[in-house]
Amino acid sequence: MGYRSHSQSPPPVPPTATRLREAVTTADAVLMITPEYNGSLPAVLKNAIDWTSRPYGRGALAGKRIAIIGLSTGRRGGARALEELRVIVGIAGGTVVEGACLAVGSAGHLFGPAPTPADTEVKAKIAEALRLLAA
């Protein structure tokens, strides 16, 4: 049976969620990196955001600068997951830093044992996203 009324106490917060909230609360900014599964972000990332967004209006993500990077084996680079993540982060009170978001397509072929020009280009874009996040 779930939490149903204001007269009942909410369920206890799991220790891992408490540690995550504390880590996000003390961070200056947050970098979220996600794969795209079936056109969306993974449930585990959504759950992490939900835990850090509570209590509503005072959650750990409120007022945080956030960069997001999506990875996909497809050419769009997780663009759908990134758009969903932008919305969810905004609802949780975070601010997605413009220019600090990146969709990396064909990720399964990048970052192999021998660097390629595509690796170098993606690494430069990631470095720029991090620079903007830290600015």
Side-chain angles (χ1 to χ4, degrees):
M1 181 180 284
Y3 171 66
R4 293 184 179 217
S5 75
H6 295 291
S7 63
Q8 293 178 339
S9 297
V13 177
T16 53
T18 298
R19 287 192 301 275
L20 177 62
R21 283 180 182 171
E22 291 168 355
V24 172
T25 297
T26 60
D28 294 325
V30 177
L31 171 63
M32 294 183 182
I33 302 174
T34 185
E36 182 176 277
Y37 293 137
N38 295 321
S40 186
L41 59 139
V44 68
L45 177 57
K46 176 64 168 73
N47 287 340
I49 293 168
D50 289 345
W51 278 113
T52 56
S53 69
R54 300 291 182 258
Y56 181 76
R58 297 186 328 259
L61 288 172
K64 294 291 178 184
R65 294 171 45 83
I66 299 172
I68 53 177
I69 297 176
L71 300 152
S72 172
T73 55
R75 292 187 308 214
R76 294 193 63 212
R80 288 185 203 102
L82 287 180
E83 286 308 310
E84 282 188 42
L85 198 48
R86 280 180 180 270
V87 171
I88 294 165
V89 163
I91 291 169
T95 301
V96 177
V97 176
E98 288 306 316
C101 299
L102 179 61
V104 180
S106 302
H109 301 290
L110 296 175
F111 307 110
T116 69
D119 294 344
T120 304
E121 181 181 339
V122 170
K123 287 178 185 177
K125 288 179 180 178
I126 292 170
E128 177 63 9
L130 292 174
R131 187 192 67 74
L132 291 170
L133 180 62

